[in-house]
Amino acid sequence: GKEEIECKAIADDAEAELNVALPALQKAMAEVEKLDKSAISEIKAYKSPPKQVETVLAAVMILFGNKTDWTTAKKVLGEANFLQSIKGYDKDNVSATIMKKIKGYVSHADFKPEAVGAVSKAAGALCTWVHAIYIYASVAKEVAPKRARLKGAQESLAVKQASLQKAQEELAEVTAKVNRLKQKYDDSVGEKNRLRAEADQMELLLDRADKLVKGLAGENERWRASIGQLQNEIGRSLGDALVAAAFLSYAGPFDTQYRSNLVGGWLSAVREQQLPSTENFTFASFCALPTDVRQWNIQGLPADNFSTENGAISVRCSRWPLMIDPQNQANKWVRKMEESQLHIVDLKSKDMLRKIENGIVYGLPVLLQDVLEELDPALEPVLAKALIKVGNREVLRLGDKELDYNKDFKLYITTKLANPHYTPEVSTKTTIINFAVKQQGLEAQLLGIVVQKEQPTLERQKADLTLRVAAGKQKLVDLEDEILRLLSEAEGSLLENETLVDTLQQSKLTSDEVTRQLNEAEETEIKIDAKREEFRPAAIRSSIAYFVLDDMGRVDPMYQFSLDASPKNITGTERCRQINVAHTLSVYQYTCRGLFERDKLLFALQLCLRIMTSENKVPKQEFDFLCYGGAGIERADQRPNPCPEWIDAGAWDNITALDSIPACMGIASAFEQGQRDWRAWFTSSEPEETPLPGDWENKVTEMQRICIIRALRLDRVLFCASRFVRLNLGPQFADPPPFDLRAIFQSSNHRTPLIFVLSPGVDPTAQVKSLANDLSTNVDICALGQGQAPVAMSLMNLGLRSGSWVFLANCHLMLSWMPELEKRIAEYCAMTEDMPHAPHCDFRLWLSASPSPKFPIAILQRGIKMTTEPPRGLRANMLKLYNLVGEEQFGRCQQRLKYQRLLFSLCWFHALLLERRKFKSLGFNVPYEFNESDYSICHDLVIVFLDEYPDETPFDAMRYLIAEANYGGRVTDAMDRRLVNVYITQLFCEQAISPQTEFNLAPQLSDSPYIIPNDADLASAKLAIKTFPQLDNALAFGQHANADIASQIEDSSTLLDTIVSLQPKVIDAGGESKEQKILRICHLMQEEVPPSFDAAAVRRGMGPRADPEPMKTVLYQEVDRYNILLLTLHQTLKASELGVQGLVIVTPELEEIIEAVLEFKVPRAWSTCYPSLKPLTPWMRDLVCRISALQKWINEALPRCFWLPGFTYPTGFLTAVLQTSARKNGIAIDSLSWEFPIINTPATSIAQYAKDGSYCHGLFLEGARWDLDNSCLTEPIPMELCCSMPVIHFKPVDNKKKSIKGIYSCPLYLYPLRTGSRERPSFVISCEVRCGAQGSEYWTCRGTAMLLSTMH
């Protein structure tokens, strides 16, 4: 202990003091080590050494106890072991005497190693060594007593340690004995603890065994039920899998009804083969787990069965899914389902192939969106999955690259086209899936929205309950999977697997909880659904409204609406009926601002009819009559027309068809009994407002009233439709809201493009500028055209940052750039407010474009559409033109009076040309787009001429430049040019500028309000215009009142044809199926169509006959043309029969024929022989008459009076008449022209051939009537739109003199469409007829013409 510590302290003290000297000694010894014999010899070589060397050697000699003289030193140096003696010097035992002597040396100032080393390095080293020995010896002298004391202490310590060792040995022996006793004790305690632990473990195992038995018993019940269910399913899986495979392969493109029919048919076939199958098989439950379906619903897939089927097809199909997705629902679902890993591309993306390559290599999902009907050929290997096996790798060659194919790669393709036609190459490589929203699915979605608005807690409760149950079921499935995994992987005793027991216990608890929740859910869902059902009418109404909106896209390509775009103004306080009224009106007003005026009534009527149909208020027979009238009536069994003088054959067909509808039965006999009353009603100006004769007023519904109007007064259908809407939906639906740009702007936001759908002659730029000024906002305008894309994009980026408005005008001129604009809009609309570069909240994008099918649907669906149309009516057009003239411009002309009056005439002329288009073919043959620039140029021209010629106004020059050069520059038809010249001649004349006369701008109108004011300054002129009537009288245009009726009939026909085109091609249950109807019609038509001519027999028979050769040639040509038509008819009717029976492939051409026949229209394939506007039934009757007329010519003789409409090419016949006359009279055919004497004898009574030329009958006169007594044109009878012409003698004459006054050159057209087509013009010839009391200009303004065929 203590002695040991003291010994150690003494030793440490001595050691510390020695350590002071040791470094010096070690340094000295290092210097000595460097010495060698040569160094010593160097010192020895001194005969008389330097003083410093001699001093050092003297000190060395003292340490060795030798003499200090040089001789002795040299001798010692010469000894062989001198260096060894130095190194081994006994430094611990230097005597005090030597130390005393040495001290005198080392303390000397010159005895320094550095100084000595400068003389001799060896002497310097020895000097260092002497110093070190002195220092060490000095220290050792001081340490010596300590060492002695240390030695004594160590000896004492050794004695005590020996004693301690003995005591320790004795202690160790005692300790060993104690340890043995302790070990024995510990062993006893351990045994006790082991036994206790074993007891506890046994208790735990018993508890686990109890839990395991009970848990497995619970699972056993569930698994037994599952096994039973699975065994049943496995038993039925053969038939189910077969039907599911067929569904997966074929059902994707079809709608719910057709899919249901397909599955029904397949199940019947499966059962006929006695294959087991599920009674109520559904593809969705067979191919999709309920947990997956719930997850899809959370990710945005609609919850209806149709959408669930689509989801199952999408994830199960072996080919890539191609989703028809006009409402963007599949696109949103895929984005949510695949989330962040998804690569989104389109066919215009520059990096499309690179992203697809990455997806293939790294196994990532790719969404190829917005494809059209053709896909990029570069995608062919991807679509075909053209994999190549290279060793263990699967490789796909894309372009010039070979890519390692990752099996996790997925490709989704979506298109916004509602009804695309894909080639077999695309269809066979993809699985086409119809995601277009259906009424059932939309109802379910909208019901959720309505209930969420009205009863948010109810909807939230249902959603939470569904989520909880779905989560519980999912957890149960996961626990079952975990139990099975643990059981399969268990080793040894199951009782030792604590995780398994806990999982079983958890499964039991969860199962009980889920069962409880399911029972709760069932009860709660019954309550919730009952409450929700109260709001179903609102969902049905909203769904109907959407599908009416969707149909409008087929009327005009710009009418595109998305599900997200409908107005959001349903409030939570409104009940279901109020919701319906408010929402329907809101949809109507929202939609109307984006519709052209002509389509607003169509939309309102469609909305009204669809709503009433859903409420079973529109009987199908009545609706079919409204659409088709008496188109399919058989005249063989038709009762005779009691009033042929005022009911034409077409109208009587309608009445006969109407009589077959149960609610209108007896109406045909009512005409026989009450002719006078019905005629009075028929001739009334507003029959829709006039009570029906007899008790019919009280018997009919409004739907039946519109059917009666459609039967007799087609011209009033539009007015009656407006009344129908007003009475059934409300007056506000018959009165479109006025255009209010500020209100539209306020309903928009920075993510909503505002789109002007342009009409000719209208520019909305000024309105946008005006609104921007009112709101103190800057608007940047870019008129799009070549090279303007960078400018437009730059303005947009600036506007998005600064919040200014951007107006991109005339987008239709840069349709190729529109996809880039669509992408940019989508980019900034996808940004949230907290993102950098998010769009400024004040930004607005204004667009204007003429209607185009190539305008991006996505922009139209995202934006607010507004139609811009020119003002309607003469009054509004004139006011608009006068508003273009400022005071300064008005005062430019020096001939002030003439200018004011001629300006009024010019404005009237321009307004006449614009508004005359409403009369359709009676107005202009070609509808020209005259605009304000035409007017502005002529305005300037008038000023120039008046200033240049102050004395005499050059009317001829003015008229020529205005009517022929400027406005006439647009006019392509000769008859239209003639009309424009008549108008300009009437309006630009001396009387127009005479201040003494009140010049009447509408000379055919007695008491005309259209007078040029004498004081026609700017303000007075505007006041005078404001006195003009709002509604234009047809006489103001020089037209008869019948012209209004003709245009109204055409508008009504267009409305009804559009409604027909928008109808779904389905047949209601219980009615005649589409296939049955086609077979019936085709069978009837095959019986009716005449057989083809035997052309060879015709030529043989006609050869010997004396008919003129040109006439024979015409006959042969007609026979050949009709043969082509008849052969086409027979073949296509037979093919249609076989097609609907599934015996031949239905080609697109054959499908078009079938659809046309169903709609009682003439298919295009049958219209190549001759043009016609007749519906199918009158067309067929007309064809039979044509063939009959030709057959009579062939069988009997050359007709004495030709039925001119029966020729496919009447001009060929007329040329043959000229050739016959020229050959007969020996005159050059070029010198011949025509005269047109009118023969009052009926065609059947003509007994002799014409001496020269030919008699022709069957012509109709439109826009006038033929006065048989005076043999001239006269006013038509009210409501008589066409009248028959007497027989006309087409008489060739040689060197005919110029027509005398009182003759009207009346154009003859093939059919009512006077322009005809590019391939087949309608104009035949101009016939000169007597004008009667009026001049030729009068009939030119009337648009009077002859026709070879009419509509019926």
Side-chain angles (χ1 to χ4, degrees):
K2 183 179 178 185
E3 288 85 353
E4 193 175 354
I5 292 167
E6 287 178 356
C7 286
K8 190 172 183 313
I10 294 166
D12 289 345
D13 189 24
E15 191 70 26
E17 291 186 8
L18 283 172
N19 283 342
V20 175
L22 280 173
L25 181 63
Q26 288 166 356
K27 183 181 177 186
M29 294 311 292
E31 293 294 326
V32 169
E33 284 290 342
K34 295 177 186 174
L35 295 179
D36 54 11
K37 288 183 180 181
S38 62
I40 300 301
S41 300
E42 178 196 328
I43 297 173
K44 280 165 55 179
Y46 286 117
K47 290 181 181 178
S48 175
K51 189 173 182 305
Q52 290 95 325
V53 174
E54 189 176 359
T55 306
V56 169
L57 285 172
V60 171
M61 291 302 109
I62 289 169
L63 285 170
F64 280 105
N66 295 331
K67 295 180 182 177
T68 59
D69 60 281
W70 174 246
T71 306
T72 305
K74 280 183 74 172
K75 183 180 175 185
V76 172
L77 286 171
E79 291 175 2
N81 62 346
F82 172 71
L83 287 174
Q84 198 60 39
S85 302
I86 292 289
K87 294 173 186 175
Y89 187 78
D90 185 7
K91 57 188 178 295
D92 292 319
N93 297 306
V94 181
S95 65
T97 307
I98 292 174
M99 287 296 289
K100 188 175 179 182
K101 289 179 181 176
I102 286 299
K103 184 179 180 182
Y105 283 90
V106 296
S107 58
H108 198 277
D110 295 332
F111 197 79
K112 301 287 184 208
E114 295 81 4
V116 176
V119 178
S120 167
K121 284 187 179 179
L126 291 173
C127 179
T128 303
W129 178 75
V130 171
H131 273 283
I133 293 296
Y134 176 76
I135 293 167
Y136 183 82
S138 300
V139 173
K141 188 178 178 183
E142 292 176 13
V143 170
K146 293 178 181 176
R147 280 184 170 170
R149 206 163 65 248
L150 174 63
K151 188 176 179 184
Q154 284 174 337
E155 288 172 357
S156 172
L157 177 63
V159 173
K160 289 180 180 178
Q161 279 179 336
S163 174
L164 175 64
Q165 179 65 31
K166 186 179 178 183
Q168 283 175 337
E169 286 171 1
E170 291 173 358
L171 177 62
E173 190 177 336
V174 173
T175 303
K177 190 174 181 179
V178 170
N179 286 341
R180 281 196 299 276
L181 291 170
K182 187 175 185 303
Q183 180 62 42
K184 191 174 180 182
Y185 172 78
D186 288 344
D187 290 346
S188 300
V189 171
E191 179 67 14
K192 173 192 164 189
N193 290 340
R194 185 185 66 75
L195 291 170
R196 181 176 290 164
E198 193 172 327
D200 291 345
Q201 179 68 12
M202 290 305 291
E203 281 184 27
L204 181 64
L205 290 176
L206 280 170
D207 183 50
R208 281 187 192 166
D210 182 54
K211 289 179 180 176
L212 191 63
V213 168
K214 288 179 180 175
L216 285 174
E219 292 302 314
N220 182 41
E221 289 173 17
R222 263 199 316 280
W223 291 350
R224 275 183 186 280
S226 297
I227 287 167
Q229 185 183 343
L230 287 170
Q231 283 174 339
N232 288 334
E233 288 177 2
I234 289 167
R236 299 191 301 264
S237 64
L238 184 60
D240 289 354
L242 184 59
V243 175
F247 194 101
L248 197 62
S249 300
Y250 303 116
F254 303 116
D255 62 14
T256 309
Q257 186 62 45
Y258 200 83
R259 286 182 185 180
S260 179
N261 294 343
L262 284 175
V263 170
W266 291 333
L267 284 172
S268 299
V270 163
R271 285 164 194 152
E272 281 174 17
Q273 299 301 319
Q274 297 183 345
L275 295 173
S277 62
T278 303
E279 184 67 30
N280 297 314
F281 170 85
T282 61
F283 173 77
S285 59
F286 184 81
C287 281
L289 296 171
T291 48
D292 291 342
V293 173
R294 182 59 207 164
Q295 190 59 34
W296 296 342
N297 296 153
I298 291 167
Q299 289 160 347
L301 186 71
D304 59 286
N305 191 54
F306 180 74
S307 299
T308 305
E309 288 173 352
N310 287 339
I313 296 173
S314 302
V315 299
R316 291 277 186 181
C317 58
S318 57
R319 294 167 290 173
W320 303 126
L322 170 50
M323 306 173 193
I324 299 165
D325 186 30
Q327 288 84 24
N328 221 29
Q329 291 192 328
N331 192 297
K332 290 175 183 174
W333 170 57
V334 170
R335 287 172 184 245
K336 276 277 186 71
M337 181 169 64
E338 298 294 353
E339 292 187 334
S340 57
Q341 285 194 318
L342 184 69
H343 285 325
I344 300 169
V345 296
D346 57 53
L347 291 174
K348 295 184 177 66
S349 301
K350 294 176 184 174
D351 57 351
M352 177 191 73
L353 285 178
R354 182 175 59 77
K355 285 187 175 178
I356 292 176
E357 287 168 9
N358 290 342
I360 291 169
V361 173
Y362 300 113
L364 300 173
V366 175
L367 171 60
L368 176 59
Q369 64 182 9
D370 300 343
V371 301
L372 301 176
E373 291 187 350
E374 293 182 7
L375 301 184
D376 192 330
L379 297 174
E380 171 69 20
V382 183
L383 296 178
K385 294 189 180 177
L387 301 177
I388 305 164
K389 198 84 173 173
V390 180
N392 293 327
R393 297 162 56 215
E394 281 188 325
V395 172
L396 190 142
R397 188 173 286 116
L398 189 59
D400 56 353
K401 296 179 182 177
E402 283 193 351
L403 307 172
D404 284 328
Y405 187 81
N406 190 315
K407 290 188 183 296
D408 291 333
F409 168 65
K410 297 177 195 169
L411 178 65
Y412 302 94
I413 309 170
T414 65
T415 177
K416 284 188 177 173
L417 300 176
N419 189 23
H421 293 268
Y422 287 107
T423 60
E425 291 77 17
V426 174
S427 302
T428 53
K429 295 183 182 70
T430 59
T431 300
I432 296 175
I433 310 171
N434 181 8
F435 265 89
V437 70
K438 299 299 168 195
Q439 190 147 341
Q440 176 197 359
L442 187 57
E443 263 179 42
Q445 294 173 53
L446 292 172
L447 182 59
I449 292 169
V450 173
V451 176
Q452 198 169 19
K453 296 275 186 186
E454 291 288 316
Q455 301 278 343
T457 52
L458 199 68
E459 191 65 14
R460 197 159 50 245
Q461 190 180 353
K462 180 177 172 66
D464 291 346
L465 198 63
T466 311
L467 280 172
R468 281 208 311 277
V469 171
K473 284 183 176 178
Q474 180 63 53
K475 191 171 182 184
L476 207 55
V477 170
D478 294 342
L479 287 168
E480 283 183 3
D481 292 345
E482 181 67 9
I483 290 165
L484 291 170
R485 185 187 68 77
L486 291 168
L487 284 171
S488 65
E489 293 177 359
E491 295 179 1
S493 172
L494 292 179
L495 297 176
E496 293 175 2
N497 192 333
E498 187 179 354
T499 309
L500 173 61
V501 177
D502 290 346
T503 307
L504 277 168
Q505 188 67 12
Q506 181 65 35
S507 176
K508 188 173 187 310
L509 292 171
T510 305
S511 174
D512 294 343
E513 179 64 20
V514 169
T515 306
R516 188 183 61 76
Q517 282 183 352
L518 281 172
N519 293 333
E520 263 183 42
E522 204 169 317
E523 294 170 11
T524 311
E525 194 157 8
I526 290 168
K527 294 175 187 172
I528 291 172
D529 286 346
K531 196 73 178 168
R532 280 163 58 91
E533 282 304 308
E534 294 176 13
F535 294 97
R536 184 164 293 279
I540 292 171
R541 176 70 66 89
S542 300
S543 178
I544 289 168
Y546 171 73
F547 283 105
V548 173
L549 287 180
D550 192 50
D551 284 344
M552 295 304 291
R554 289 149 61 191
V555 177
D556 190 291
M558 304 300 274
Y559 298 163
Q560 299 292 337
F561 301 89
S562 73
L563 279 172
D564 302 328
S566 56
K568 308 287 193 300
N569 68 339
I570 300 175
T571 63
T573 57
E574 293 171 326
R575 302 307 300 155
C576 199
R577 191 178 62 79
Q578 287 84 3
I579 290 172
N580 278 348
V581 172
H583 184 255
T584 310
L585 180 59
S586 184
V587 168
Y588 173 73
Q589 292 175 338
Y590 171 85
T591 307
C592 272
R593 63 193 182 196
L595 301 180
F596 289 114
E597 204 66 38
R598 62 177 182 267
D599 296 324
K600 289 177 181 177
L601 177 60
L602 167 69
F603 173 63
L605 183 60
Q606 273 285 87
L607 194 59
C608 183
L609 287 170
R610 292 280 182 90
I611 290 168
M612 291 178 69
T613 302
S614 74
E615 297 167 352
N616 297 317
K617 291 181 180 177
V618 179
K620 185 174 185 306
Q621 280 184 299
E622 294 174 16
F623 179 74
D624 285 348
F625 180 84
L626 175 64
C627 291
Y628 305 113
I633 199 76
E634 289 296 322
R635 285 187 176 171
D637 305 323
Q638 189 179 29
R639 68 166 71 201
N641 183 352
C643 322
E645 64 279 5
W646 59 274
I647 299 179
D648 63 26
W652 187 244
D653 287 347
N654 291 338
I655 292 296
T656 310
L658 192 59
D659 193 62
S660 65
I661 297 173
C664 297
M665 196 173 291
I667 194 167
S669 57
F671 278 85
E672 296 170 0
Q673 296 158 10
Q675 291 188 29
R676 185 186 303 168
D677 292 342
W678 278 105
R679 183 164 191 172
W681 177 86
F682 174 77
T683 55
S684 63
S685 59
E686 295 181 349
E688 69 279 0
E689 301 291 347
T690 305
L692 288 164
D695 59 351
W696 285 95
E697 177 64 25
N698 301 320
K699 279 171 62 176
V700 299
T701 63
E702 285 303 317
M703 186 66 196
Q704 290 152 12
R705 183 188 297 276
I706 201 173
C707 288
I708 295 171
I709 293 286
R710 191 249 186 274
L712 290 168
R713 288 291 302 272
L714 189 59
D715 59 302
R716 301 301 296 180
V717 164
L718 292 180
F719 301 95
C720 194
S722 181
R723 168 194 162 96
F724 181 78
V725 170
R726 187 170 68 249
L727 293 176
N728 288 288
L729 282 187
Q732 61 271 48
F733 289 90
D735 184 20
F739 181 75
D740 184 348
L741 189 58
R742 183 185 286 265
I744 292 170
F745 163 75
Q746 287 168 349
S747 69
S748 70
N749 60 44
H750 53 291
R751 301 179 195 281
T752 315
L754 294 122
I755 306 160
F756 288 103
V757 184
L758 298 176
S759 298
V762 178
D763 184 1
T765 308
Q767 296 178 63
V768 177
K769 281 183 178 177
S770 174
L771 181 62
N773 288 337
D774 292 347
L775 299 174
S776 304
T777 301
N778 181 45
V779 57
D780 296 312
I781 300 171
C782 177
L784 293 180
Q786 190 172 8
Q788 291 300 301
V791 177
M793 200 57 85
S794 171
L795 288 177
M796 273 186 68
N797 292 334
L798 178 64
L800 285 165
R801 288 195 307 273
S802 64
S804 60
W805 293 0
V806 177
F807 184 17
L808 305 182
N810 302 328
C811 293
H812 56 280
L813 300 180
M814 279 187 72
L815 288 171
S816 60
W817 179 69
M818 285 297 104
E820 290 296 318
L821 178 63
E822 177 187 356
K823 197 175 293 183
R824 183 71 185 99
I825 292 171
E827 281 174 10
Y828 74 71
C829 286
M831 293 180 178
T832 55
E833 303 301 335
D834 54 351
M835 291 173 69
H837 312 300
H840 196 287
C841 61
D842 292 334
F843 170 72
R844 291 293 185 279
L845 177 63
W846 301 79
L847 306 173
S848 71
S850 293
S852 168
K854 294 182 179 178
F855 195 91
I857 292 173
I859 297 179
L860 291 169
Q861 289 182 341
R862 196 188 294 274
I864 294 174
K865 293 164 288 297
M866 303 157 282
T867 50
T868 57
E869 296 186 82
R872 293 196 165 198
L874 296 168
R875 177 178 180 272
N877 272 287
M878 286 197 69
L879 276 175
K880 182 184 176 187
L881 294 174
Y882 260 89
N883 287 334
L884 295 175
V885 182
E887 286 289 353
E888 184 182 345
Q889 190 179 14
F890 192 77
R892 273 171 49 199
C893 185
Q894 296 168 9
Q895 302 288 317
R896 189 171 180 80
L897 182 63
K898 289 182 181 179
Y899 164 72
Q900 289 172 357
R901 295 180 72 87
L902 284 182
L903 175 61
F904 208 89
S905 288
L906 179 64
C907 291
W908 177 257
F909 172 74
H910 183 87
L912 278 179
L913 297 188
L914 286 181
E915 287 302 302
R916 190 177 170 90
R917 291 178 302 188
K918 73 178 181 180
F919 297 113
K920 309 296 190 299
S921 58
L922 283 171
F924 284 109
N925 289 353
V926 179
Y928 304 103
E929 302 295 350
F930 300 114
N931 58 37
E932 289 163 12
S933 64
D934 299 321
Y935 160 77
S936 300
I937 292 167
C938 293
H939 179 207
D940 292 341
L941 186 148
V942 167
I943 294 173
V944 169
F945 270 115
L946 290 177
D947 285 347
E948 289 289 326
Y949 302 95
D951 299 328
E952 185 176 351
T953 307
F955 284 113
D956 288 341
M958 278 188 187
R959 286 194 288 254
Y960 179 82
L961 287 175
I962 292 172
E964 292 284 350
N966 194 29
Y967 284 92
R970 296 183 185 276
V971 179
T972 54
D973 185 274
M975 297 301 141
D976 292 340
R977 189 180 295 275
R978 179 175 72 173
L979 170 70
V980 173
N981 277 303
V982 166
Y983 273 150
I984 201 70
T985 303
Q986 288 177 351
L987 297 172
F988 274 63
C989 57
E990 285 293 343
Q991 292 89 338
I993 60 172
S994 171
Q996 285 80 27
T997 59
E998 283 192 343
F999 185 67
N1000 184 1
L1001 295 165
Q1004 293 189 27
L1005 194 61
S1006 58
D1007 298 325
S1008 169
Y1010 305 111
I1011 304 294
I1012 299 180
N1014 283 327
D1015 183 14
D1017 63 30
L1018 201 54
S1020 303
K1022 288 181 183 179
L1023 283 173
I1025 292 168
K1026 285 176 182 176
T1027 64
F1028 288 1
Q1030 289 274 16
L1031 296 175
D1032 300 330
N1033 191 314
L1035 290 170
F1037 301 88
Q1039 285 283 10
H1040 189 271
N1042 283 355
D1044 276 329
I1045 295 174
S1047 67
Q1048 287 162 5
I1049 287 175
E1050 192 165 337
D1051 288 341
S1052 297
S1053 299
T1054 302
L1055 176 80
L1056 295 174
D1057 287 345
T1058 308
I1059 290 175
V1060 169
S1061 71
L1062 297 180
Q1063 295 314 301
K1065 304 294 187 287
V1066 295
I1067 303 297
D1068 288 346
E1072 186 181 34
S1073 73
K1074 178 179 174 180
E1075 289 77 13
Q1076 290 169 334
K1077 191 173 181 181
I1078 279 290
L1079 288 171
R1080 177 175 60 79
I1081 294 173
C1082 288
H1083 178 70
L1084 288 171
M1085 289 181 70
Q1086 280 179 299
E1087 290 181 346
E1088 201 173 335
V1089 175
S1092 301
F1093 294 101
D1094 184 342
V1098 170
R1099 283 172 167 77
R1100 284 196 304 272
M1102 293 296 294
R1105 277 177 35 180
D1107 295 6
E1109 286 302 320
M1111 290 299 184
K1112 289 182 183 179
T1113 303
V1114 168
L1115 178 63
Y1116 300 153
Q1117 290 172 345
E1118 291 292 316
V1119 164
D1120 290 342
R1121 290 190 198 106
Y1122 278 118
N1123 267 352
I1124 293 170
L1125 173 61
L1126 293 171
L1127 185 64
T1128 302
L1129 274 165
H1130 285 294
Q1131 288 176 344
T1132 52
L1133 287 170
K1134 187 65 180 173
S1136 298
E1137 281 187 337
L1138 296 173
V1140 295
Q1141 293 173 21
L1143 299 174
V1144 298
I1145 294 173
V1146 178
T1147 61
E1149 294 79 13
L1150 191 58
E1151 184 181 10
E1152 185 181 340
I1153 289 170
I1154 291 170
E1155 294 298 339
V1157 169
L1158 278 173
E1159 294 175 2
F1160 300 104
K1161 293 179 180 176
V1162 180
R1164 278 191 303 174
W1166 301 354
S1167 300
T1168 53
C1169 186
Y1170 57 91
S1172 175
L1173 296 181
K1174 294 179 186 290
L1176 185 58
T1177 306
W1179 181 85
M1180 184 57 73
R1181 293 191 197 114
D1182 179 61
L1183 175 64
V1184 171
C1185 292
R1186 287 165 177 262
I1187 301 303
S1188 175
L1190 275 186
Q1191 195 67 56
K1192 188 175 179 182
W1193 182 356
I1194 293 165
N1195 294 341
E1196 297 178 8
L1198 187 74
R1200 293 184 181 87
C1201 185
F1202 287 90
W1203 183 45
L1204 192 59
F1207 291 100
T1208 57
Y1209 275 85
T1211 48
F1213 165 74
L1214 294 177
T1215 303
V1217 172
L1218 287 176
Q1219 285 177 334
T1220 302
S1221 177
R1223 291 177 186 180
K1224 178 181 175 183
N1225 299 312
I1227 304 169
I1229 194 170
D1230 292 345
S1231 66
L1232 289 175
S1233 53
W1234 294 101
E1235 280 185 356
F1236 305 93
I1238 303 297
I1239 311 298
N1240 284 342
T1241 308
T1244 52
S1245 302
I1246 292 178
Q1248 300 293 326
Y1249 291 103
K1251 289 184 180 179
D1252 208 356
S1254 292
Y1255 297 126
C1256 294
H1257 73 281
L1259 282 70
F1260 299 91
L1261 187 61
E1262 186 180 31
R1265 182 172 61 87
W1266 188 256
D1267 185 343
L1268 290 171
D1269 296 333
N1270 298 310
S1271 195
C1272 64
L1273 294 173
T1274 189
E1275 290 288 357
I1277 298 169
M1279 297 181 61
E1280 184 184 61
L1281 306 182
C1282 286
C1283 72
S1284 296
M1285 280 293 289
V1287 173
I1288 300 179
H1289 182 191
F1290 282 79
K1291 182 179 179 182
V1293 291
D1294 184 27
N1295 296 319
K1296 183 184 173 185
K1297 296 176 184 176
K1298 192 175 179 181
S1299 297
I1300 57 172
K1301 196 174 179 182
I1303 295 295
Y1304 172 62
S1305 181
C1306 183
L1308 172 64
Y1309 297 100
L1310 285 174
Y1311 63 128
L1313 188 64
R1314 298 185 182 185
T1315 50
S1317 63
R1318 187 173 56 184
E1319 298 79 16
R1320 191 78 186 271
S1322 185
F1323 179 75
V1324 179
I1325 192 172
S1326 282
C1327 303
E1328 293 178 347
V1329 294
R1330 290 177 58 200
C1331 293
Q1334 310 295 342
S1336 62
E1337 295 84 0
Y1338 183 90
W1339 302 112
T1340 300
C1341 291
R1342 288 286 167 95
T1344 303
M1346 286 191 280
L1347 305 174
L1348 291 179
S1349 86
T1350 59
M1351 288 282 288
H1352 296 283

